[in-house]
Amino acid sequence: MRPRALIRGFGSYVPARVVTNAEIGGRVGCEAEWIQSVSGIVERRFAEPDESVAAMGAAAARNCLDRCGATASDIGLILFATGTSESRFPSPGSEAARLLGLTGIPVIDLSMASAGSLFALALAVDLAATYQEVLIVAAEKMSSVVFEKALDRNTAILFGDGAGAALISMRQGNALLAGSVLHSDGCFAGDLRLGRAGPLEMNGPVVILQSSRKIPTAIREVLEKTKLSACTVDWFLMHQANRNLIVRVAQALGVTAERFYCNIQHYGNTSSASMLIAAAEWSTSERFQAGRSVVFAGFGAGFHWGAVVATGVA
Amino acid sequence: MQLLLDPMTERETKIKAVVKGVSLLSGADPSCEVLLFDSGIVDSFGLADLVTALEQEFQVKIPESDLYPGNFASIQVIDTYLEKIEASGG
């Protein structure tokens, strides 16, 4: 029987420094308007050189706990997703826990890049049955990898830094995690990768062709599993990879793009953090409605992709 | 000496119409051989739109395993690919 795991809430953190398209365009040799037209991005945030992935993650976690009315001592397990860890090991999860004042609870790092938070959300359902309160944190310092080596215009324009968090609980919450589907396919491992020495390499046409098909297919799959249809879903909270991709996923599902919450214009693609930053921002103006559903979806290097359904509870 | 180009087949003509429908360039008039992505006639998202439009026009389902830009490089390549798909009952 599927554990009755609930979403208590979300949180986020983005660095203070705003980087405009004009600044990025000046560095990579393109027009600000072109960046916006191919991505929907207007600006993004960059962390300071001494601001770590763990510190950003801890800041998002604190914001999440505050918004949920929870304390760090409530947490039984942390799932920490990132693709931009400063070291091969340790991954930043245990350091983020230490910054939260937690030095004994287990932490699992998910080194998955963009799909990390979606996978964590799906995995948290079963893990919550054991650990009661599971804190998901996703943090990325993409500026450290896209600007570290020779600049590729097509990747440098896309990415930003930030962190998101979600608290999953067996005790209380606003939405039941009702179903999930997860997929991985290593056939495309070479089409989106960050090697040990960098730089980030992305075969854009393959990534877009595959993601524009795989994301809607995963969403249809999880909706079928939970006996729902796309037209009955209130909101879609998706990895903020590219505004043009979000629009095409909406078209493929036959729903209006307005039901896909989008904040990529402000933060760019923050990889694994983007879905939870979007969820945190979404939850400041919207909320789960009893009996109504929200679909989360993600896609990233690997390729890894999937979708999760959450249904509001009274 | 006059160089005569082979006229487009009916399917190639249909493919060309689909390509023009998703093209970034309003006046695009690609020959069968021109490379659609490299020449800027379609961009990455245009490729995704092209696949969807081809499926609708030719009533076929293109499997995810075939979603590589190389299968949609030119009208000629698309024609060969669709012939294969149709022959396999796709």
Side-chain angles (χ1 to χ4, degrees), chain B residues 8-80:
Chain B
M8 281 186 169
T9 64
E10 186 182 346
R11 185 164 56 204
E12 286 171 338
T13 304
K14 281 185 179 178
I15 295 169
K16 182 173 177 175
V18 171
V19 169
K20 290 173 77 167
V22 301
S23 175
L24 296 170
L25 309 174
S26 56
D29 187 25
S31 67
C32 279
E33 296 79 19
V34 73
L35 296 175
L36 302 173
F37 188 78
D38 293 352
S39 63
I41 291 171
V42 295
D43 64 3
S44 298
F45 286 103
L47 269 179
D49 294 339
L50 176 60
V51 170
T52 303
L54 288 169
E55 288 182 322
Q56 289 170 351
E57 176 65 31
F58 293 95
Q59 295 293 297
V60 294
K61 180 69 179 171
I62 297 173
E64 284 181 14
S65 56
D66 287 352
L67 291 179
Y68 280 95
N71 282 334
F72 310 97
S74 68
I75 291 172
Q76 192 174 61
V77 170
I78 294 169
D79 183 48
T80 304

Side-chain angles (χ1 to χ4, degrees), chain A:
Chain A
M1 187 176 166
R2 188 178 174 84
R4 188 178 160 78
L6 302 160
I7 298 175
R8 281 185 71 172
F10 304 100
S12 66
Y13 166 81
V14 291
R17 187 181 164 219
V18 177
V19 179
T20 64
N21 283 350
E23 181 179 340
I24 293 291
R27 290 176 72 171
V28 302
C30 65
E31 298 293 324
E33 293 75 17
W34 177 79
I35 297 174
Q36 188 171 350
S37 72
V38 298
S39 65
I41 298 165
V42 176
E43 60 192 26
R44 74 285 291 146
R45 305 295 181 95
F46 277 6
E48 295 303 320
D50 61 350
E51 193 166 24
S52 70
V53 170
M56 288 195 289
R62 282 188 207 100
N63 179 249
C64 179
L65 295 172
D66 287 347
R67 289 171 59 173
C68 293
T71 62
S73 59
D74 295 335
I75 300 167
L77 171 74
I78 294 176
L79 297 174
F80 196 106
T82 188
T84 52
S85 175
E86 290 91 351
S87 56
R88 292 182 196 171
F89 62 83
S91 293
S94 58
E95 170 63 4
R98 187 189 69 80
L99 293 170
L100 292 170
L102 298 171
T103 53
I105 65 158
V107 178
I108 300 173
D109 287 284
L110 298 173
S111 178
M112 295 182 63
S114 297
S117 53
L118 189 280
F119 271 58
L121 195 57
L123 295 172
V125 173
D126 287 316
L127 291 167
T130 301
Y131 295 98
Q132 300 301 305
E133 304 277 338
V134 178
L135 179 66
I136 298 168
V137 183
E140 302 283 4
K141 193 171 179 179
M142 297 303 295
S143 62
S144 69
V145 296
V146 293
F147 286 98
E148 192 179 40
K149 304 284 180 182
L151 285 180
D152 171 30
R153 184 175 85 164
N154 294 317
T155 55
I157 63 169
L158 295 175
F159 295 102
D161 302 338
L167 185 58
I168 309 303
S169 172
M170 292 298 286
R171 303 183 183 111
Q172 57 180 304
N174 306 311
L176 176 71
L177 287 163
S180 64
V181 295
L182 299 177
H183 296 287
S184 300
D185 185 351
C187 291
F188 303 94
D191 290 306
L192 181 53
R193 66 186 298 274
L194 175 61
R196 286 180 175 176
L200 191 154
E201 299 168 74
M202 180 168 71
N203 184 340
V206 170
V207 172
I208 291 164
L209 271 176
Q210 289 292 325
S211 59
S212 62
R213 180 67 63 93
K214 283 179 160 61
I215 296 170
T217 301
I219 291 174
R220 284 192 205 97
E221 200 180 340
V222 78
L223 289 174
E224 189 178 336
K225 198 172 169 181
T226 50
K227 298 180 171 48
L228 295 167
S229 66
C231 60
T232 64
V233 173
D234 277 355
W235 285 98
F236 295 84
L237 293 169
M238 196 178 124
H239 164 45
Q240 306 284 298
N242 187 309
R243 170 74 185 165
N244 295 325
L245 176 61
I246 292 171
V247 168
R248 277 159 180 83
V249 171
Q251 286 171 346
L253 292 170
V255 302
T256 61
E258 286 69 32
R259 282 162 58 198
F260 279 69
Y261 189 81
C262 188
N263 64 358
I264 193 171
Q265 64 273 24
H266 300 305
Y267 308 118
N269 179 342
T270 56
S271 190
S272 70
S274 77
M275 190 183 77
L276 295 181
I277 294 173
E281 198 168 279
W282 168 83
S283 65
T284 62
S285 58
E286 304 288 338
R287 61 189 177 89
F288 292 106
Q289 305 283 341
R292 307 287 297 178
S293 296
V294 170
V295 170
F296 298 84
F299 179 94
F303 292 150
H304 304 291
W305 70 100
V308 171
V309 170
T311 302
V313 294

